[in-house]
């Protein structure tokens, strides 16, 4: 499983809200272990944030994405881990 999913909200065929709801359903029945899902979207509004939260997403980033905002969100949703040895 992934450590985290950065989910584009506006995808063709299945949007990120539906995809997140599907992933969370699989987690509820034990098919997938839990992992954070962070929305990535150009539509920055309170209603969009609420829809992402309702779909089970753990965080929200608006586009164009600021690299510091991405780093801050990654640190917020991912548990602290020791640095990998090279």
């Amino acid at each position: 499983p992934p450590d985290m999913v950065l989910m584009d909200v506006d995808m063709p065929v299945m949007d990120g809200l539906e995809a997140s709801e599907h992933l969370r359903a699989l987690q509820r029945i034990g098919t997938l272990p839990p992992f954070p899902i962070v929305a990535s979207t150009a539509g920055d509004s309170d209603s969009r944030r609420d829809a992402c939260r309702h779909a089970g997403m753990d965080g929200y980033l608006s586009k164009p994405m600021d690299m510091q905002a991405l780093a801050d969100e990654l640190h917020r949703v991912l548990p602290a881990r020791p640095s990998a040895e090279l």
Side-chain angles (χ1 to χ4, degrees):
D3 291 331
M4 186 202 83
V5 170
L6 184 59
M7 182 71 72
D8 189 349
V9 176
D10 299 308
M11 298 185 299
V13 183
M14 180 186 293
D15 68 26
L17 299 173
E18 185 180 355
S20 295
E21 290 169 348
H22 184 69
L23 290 170
R24 293 303 190 216
L26 292 173
Q27 290 171 339
R28 278 192 298 279
I29 62 172
T31 304
L32 283 175
F35 49 81
I37 301 172
V38 175
S40 172
T41 181
D44 190 17
S45 68
D46 288 340
S47 62
R48 177 60 65 105
R49 286 177 187 263
D50 290 343
C52 290
R53 191 172 14 261
H54 181 42
M57 295 185 191
D58 302 290
Y60 184 93
L61 292 166
S62 60
K63 297 176 189 175
M65 200 172 300
D66 174 85
M67 295 310 288
Q68 186 61 53
L70 174 60
D72 291 346
E73 194 66 2
L74 289 173
H75 289 294
R76 188 184 72 76
V77 300
L78 291 173
R81 298 180 189 182
S83 298
E85 292 183 24
L86 299 176

